[in-house]
Amino acid sequence: MSDTTILIVEDEAMTAMNLQNWFEFWGYNAPLIACSEKTALKKVQEIKVDLVLINIELGNMNGRINFAKKVADNFDTAIVYITPNFNNEIMQHMRATKPYGCIFKPLEENQLKYTVENALYKRKIYKRFIASK
């Protein structure tokens, strides 16, 4: 796990720090944190990121979806969303980015851990499948 790079895209500092603390407790390197899509995209371009955890809410949905679409189309990175709201519109936008998972707020530690570990596992299996072709 320590060689796994995670990027948290979250504009609430306290939530980002709590997420970072959980990941460190689980044995991951301290995840990177970005408050904006521009900063997050720069980090993804500079560093090999294995998973991006994106907080998506109605107020920031379009920017975050556009960011996730760029990541999905151009990088070998798993995308997992965190959202307090879920409806057909959000689901349709998220599907376009081929996410590896979605977590609903309020966050529960076990759900977060399972979803992230499952996303990383699915990404690894997918990479093996592509390499075997």
Side-chain angles (χ1 to χ4, degrees), residues 9-95:
V9 183
E10 170 63 66
D11 43 9
E12 293 181 21
M14 187 60 85
T15 301
M17 289 187 320
N18 286 339
L19 289 167
Q20 189 177 50
N21 288 335
W22 277 343
F23 285 114
E24 288 176 350
F25 179 75
W26 297 329
Y28 293 95
N29 288 332
L32 307 166
I33 297 175
C35 300
S36 71
E37 298 80 26
K38 183 179 178 181
T39 303
L41 186 58
K42 186 175 180 181
K43 288 182 188 255
V44 171
Q45 291 168 336
E46 293 173 352
I47 303 163
K48 180 188 165 288
V49 175
D50 299 296
L51 183 135
V52 178
L53 190 64
I54 305 171
N55 181 17
I56 180 171
E57 297 186 25
L58 293 176
N60 66 10
M61 185 174 70
N62 291 334
R64 299 279 163 96
I65 292 292
N66 290 336
F67 161 73
K69 183 100 175 89
K70 288 176 187 174
V71 171
D73 290 346
N74 298 297
F75 302 95
D76 174 28
T77 303
I79 296 170
V80 174
Y81 289 105
I82 297 174
T83 183
N85 308 305
F86 194 74
N87 58 37
N88 277 341
E89 179 185 2
I90 291 173
M91 183 176 66
Q92 294 302 320
H93 287 293
M94 287 190 324
R95 277 189 183 157

Side-chain angles (χ1 to χ4, degrees), residues 96-107:
T97 66
K98 303 173 215 108
Y100 282 67
C102 183
I103 303 165
F104 299 100
K105 284 184 175 180
L107 295 175

